[in-house]
Amino acid sequence: STLVAKTQLQVNAYMEQENDWDRDLLLDPAWEKQQRKTFTAWCNSHLRKAGTQIENIEQDFRDGLKLMLLLEVISGERLPKPERGKMRVHKINNVNKALDFIASKGVKLVSIGAEEIVDGNAKMTLGMIWTIILRFAIQDISVEETSAKEGLLLWCQRKTAPYKNVNVQNFHISWKDGLAFNALIHRHRPDLIDYDSLRKDDPVTNLNNAFEVAEKHLDIPKMLDAEDIVGTLRPDEKAIMTYVSCFYHAFSGAQKAETAANRICKVLAVNQENEQMMEDYEKLASDLLEWIRRTIPWLEDRTQEKTVNDMQAKQEDFRDYRTVHKPPKVQEKCQLEISFNTLQTKLRLSNRPAFMPSEGRMVSDINSAWHTLEGAEKGYEEWILSEIRRLERLEHLAEKFHQKAAIHESWTDGKEAMLTQKDYETSTLSEVKALLRKHEAFESDLAAHQDRVEQIAAIAQELNELDYYDAASVNARCQKICDQWDTLGTLTHNRKDSLERTEKQLESIDELYLEYAKRAAPFNNWMEGAMEDLQDMFIVHNIDEIQGLITAHEQFKATLPEANKEREAIQSIQAEVQKIAQSNGIKLSGANPYTTITPESIDNKWEKAMAMVPQRDKALQGELNKQNSNDTLRATFATQANAVGAYIQAKMEEIGRISIEMNGTLEDQLTHLKEYQQTIMSYMPEINKLEGHHQHIQEALIFDNQYTSYTMEHLRVGWEQLLTTIARTINEVENQILTRDAKGISQEQLYEYRASFNHFDKDRGGALQPEEFKACLISLGYDGDGEFNRIMGIVDPNGTGSVTFQAFIDFMSTETTDTDSADQVIASFKILAGDKNFITAEELRRELPPDQAEYCIARMAPYTGPDAAPGALDYMSFSTALYGESDL
């Protein structure tokens, strides 16, 4: 209705400019001749449908009868009954009825009255006929929102644009050479004219050819004379427009077919683009899921290694996966979500059903698989660290086991031979007593070694429990030591029995040797234990543990003066023996009969033990320095981690705030978000720096950090969420732009929608709860629980209990704009099919571009109706499928 009103105003304005007939005809009298011939032929082309004709345009319309008949034919409406009388008043009344009918169609008549027509005024009659032609033949012409004269001129320009030597700029001199008329006919009926044979320098031949072909084949009467047009400096514009309008109406059917074809092409292009996006999504989702499927078994592999170095190699492979292989997949996952959201938006905007990926390839399936992957990553990393700890513990225990075993085996060497000899059978009484005392000292020594044997067995048991790879050799050596220990116990018991049986026959005993042996053996065992402790390896994980070892060592050093006094006391016993022997002229046989521990061996061991003390000091101090360094690493990592964590949290909050604000146009918001994204990406070096600190922490085997609550895993997840959130926010703005452009929504409407949404979004969460959304609808004029439930089903089809801003925009744009429908596409196909209920492949290939014609042919089902013809295709089911559930 708006276009009709606009067109009517254009016609009225044009009439006011063109109604000065006297001025026009005075400029060129030949125009009246052209108009008279053209208008007469135009009237007769319509009057012959009523079985009548006119010869003289101003005479035959004087009584108003044929004028009223002409208006009834061209308008399809009934006029008031004419008066058949011959009197002037009857004629004036008839002409007035015709003029009133013209005025009722919104045409403003200027200086044209019934009296002038009845009197046969040629200029007024021609003006009236031109008014009728404008209203009923030219006004309804509409091309791309232009109408009447401008629309007809634009139509001519579009149709003749491909032809050489044709440049239609007006309705007078652009038509003098006749090529424009021939081009119009050839464009629609190339079989009627050989355009390439026409010459621009032969206008009369060109014009007559076009007039004759139009009259013979197109049922357009000859309204112009070629000689009049060529012989006039400027042909009459009204005559040309009248004749050209006949061509427009003759070819209007082809114009409708072209419009229908354009509509179908547009719909098919949208469908083809959507299908390509669906294929791209399916492929990207399949590739990402396949990568996850291949990666998870690797992360779940718990094959144990034998050494720490082997496990550290696995740790390096895992670090390479985290920094090289996974980041591109994070980007692919983000792109997958963006593509899915964009596709769903385009489908909603084109009134298509939502895209449902194939089973197992939904975004939720991708997120679930990704969650499983991250869980496998965490488990794998924890397992690697626990394995490194376990292997370090095993290596330490194995070395400690072999060290203690070697000391014990060295001590037991020769003990079985000593216990099995029968030297007491040929010894004197004093010698037997000496042997008995020596044996008692050995028993004391044996008891002292019991603790070492138990330690060896306990270490072997722990190695077995920790699944040490060389547990078999450890068990064999431990079993050998235990068996030998049992044998020594039995032999000791047997020898003691033998000596005690002989003791009754022996009385003499050397007390000093005995005292020496009794005191030397424990002291010697203490020194061996002290040397063993001084050589003992240690593993600590923090400063408190090393400080405990240092304290224990200091306590040990504090006992050394008393130990030295004991050593001097033992040595004084031996000195006393030597003094007594010298004093009494006793010749000693050599070694102490009660012990193999000599004063020299005690001194040697003492010197060795004293040399080990500073070495132990140095080792403990080195470990203290290492733990101090580790503490520095902890503090460095914590400082960077706390800064990164705060940065991520702040940016996440700022993105949430930006997403609900309305600052500038959507393009400004999009530009701001992309700049903001670049700002965030510029922070990546800080993340890499933190990764470097974390690598140093792991290489130093640091497993705790009291300076921060952040872990590297927590920060990695936060950083990935930050990147995904800013990308998703950008995508939402892009979808809003897409919705605005596709639906024709103004920037002011978008601001209004956003303001309404934000007003009711009380918690600023970016989504409206049902009660908030209901209040928002009531504010927009919707009412009733039934209407609310219907709308809620549209904006929240999955029943999540909330409405996002994008869903709100989609609903509001759908409610306020028109979209293509299946009925419109069916109507377009019906035009192409010539009103048939089916269409053929030949018709599709003639009316549509090749690729879209083949697209339709491949997807249309055969038509099975009673009026089916060979090769008939069902365009109705095809059109319905474009807007319903199907595999298209």
Side-chain angles (χ1 to χ4, degrees), residues 284-520:
L284 185 58
S286 297
D287 292 346
L288 186 58
L289 286 172
E290 177 61 18
W291 178 80
I292 294 173
R293 185 191 65 78
R294 293 196 313 267
T295 304
I296 288 178
W298 174 67
L299 294 172
E300 292 177 344
D301 181 18
R302 296 296 186 267
T303 302
Q304 295 180 338
E305 301 294 341
K306 295 181 178 180
T307 65
V308 174
N309 290 336
D310 292 340
M311 285 306 299
Q312 287 176 339
K314 280 194 172 183
Q315 186 181 42
E316 191 62 30
D317 291 342
F318 179 72
R319 185 178 294 116
D320 185 67
Y321 155 82
R322 270 278 179 76
T323 58
V324 177
H325 300 289
K326 185 183 177 184
K329 299 303 177 182
V330 173
Q331 293 296 324
E332 289 180 11
K333 176 176 176 293
C334 180
Q335 182 60 43
L336 192 69
E337 295 181 4
I338 291 173
S339 299
F340 182 83
N341 293 335
T342 301
L343 174 59
Q344 297 294 44
T345 298
K346 288 187 175 182
L347 289 172
R348 286 194 299 271
L349 295 178
S350 59
N351 201 23
R352 301 303 197 274
F355 169 55
M356 290 297 294
S358 57
E359 185 176 358
R361 292 182 175 87
M362 292 287 291
V363 172
S364 59
D365 296 325
I366 303 297
N367 289 332
S368 177
W370 192 265
H371 181 71
T372 302
L373 175 71
E374 291 181 334
E377 286 179 6
K378 182 178 180 182
Y380 188 68
E381 185 175 29
E382 291 174 351
W383 174 75
I384 286 177
L385 294 176
S386 66
E387 276 297 290
I388 291 175
R389 294 178 185 176
R390 184 182 69 86
L391 291 174
E392 283 185 332
R393 173 69 175 165
L394 284 175
E395 289 183 0
H396 169 68
L397 288 175
E399 186 173 353
K400 190 172 184 179
F401 170 84
H402 290 298
Q403 182 185 22
K404 287 183 176 293
I407 294 173
H408 177 75
E409 289 167 348
S410 175
W411 178 82
T412 59
D413 184 36
K415 293 298 188 292
E416 289 185 22
M418 180 194 74
L419 292 172
T420 56
Q421 65 181 347
K422 297 182 179 181
D423 53 340
Y424 54 85
E425 294 180 350
T426 58
S427 298
T428 63
L429 180 62
S430 60
E431 288 174 343
V432 170
K433 287 187 176 183
L435 289 175
L436 187 57
R437 299 295 183 272
K438 180 180 179 181
H439 188 72
E440 290 175 351
F442 173 77
E443 285 181 322
S444 178
D445 197 9
L446 185 68
H449 278 78
Q450 176 69 35
D451 183 62
R452 181 179 289 111
V453 174
E454 292 176 353
Q455 290 177 5
I456 291 172
I459 293 172
Q461 179 65 27
E462 187 172 0
L463 287 172
N464 279 275
E465 290 174 353
L466 293 176
D467 197 21
Y468 181 56
Y469 78 96
D470 197 20
S473 64
V474 170
N475 291 338
R477 190 171 187 181
C478 181
Q479 188 62 44
K480 181 180 178 181
I481 290 173
C482 291
D483 293 342
Q484 186 186 39
W485 185 256
D486 292 338
T487 301
L488 287 177
T490 302
L491 293 176
T492 299
H493 180 71
N494 294 338
R495 182 171 177 81
K496 184 176 182 180
D497 288 344
S498 299
L499 289 173
E500 286 177 346
R501 284 192 305 267
T502 309
E503 185 182 18
K504 294 179 181 180
Q505 303 171 9
L506 303 175
E507 296 177 352
S508 188
I509 190 169
D510 190 346
E511 292 295 334
L512 290 174
Y513 273 140
L514 183 58
E515 184 181 0
Y516 175 90
K518 287 183 177 181
R519 295 181 68 174

Side-chain angles (χ1 to χ4, degrees), residues 589-657:
S589 59
N592 190 319
Y594 302 109
T595 181
T596 59
I597 301 172
T598 65
E600 291 77 15
S601 66
I602 290 176
D603 288 340
N604 290 336
K605 287 183 180 180
W606 177 261
E607 291 174 359
K608 289 181 181 179
M610 293 302 100
M612 291 179 182
V613 170
Q615 294 175 1
R616 184 71 169 183
D617 288 334
K618 182 178 179 181
L620 291 173
Q621 185 61 42
E623 184 63 28
L624 178 61
N625 295 336
K626 176 184 175 182
Q627 291 304 321
N628 285 328
S629 175
N630 288 352
D631 206 53
T632 301
L633 289 177
R634 289 188 182 94
T636 301
F637 174 83
T639 300
Q640 183 71 6
N642 291 335
V644 170
Y647 177 85
I648 292 174
Q649 179 65 28
K651 294 304 177 183
M652 288 291 288
E653 293 174 357
E654 191 166 348
I655 291 173
R657 185 173 64 256

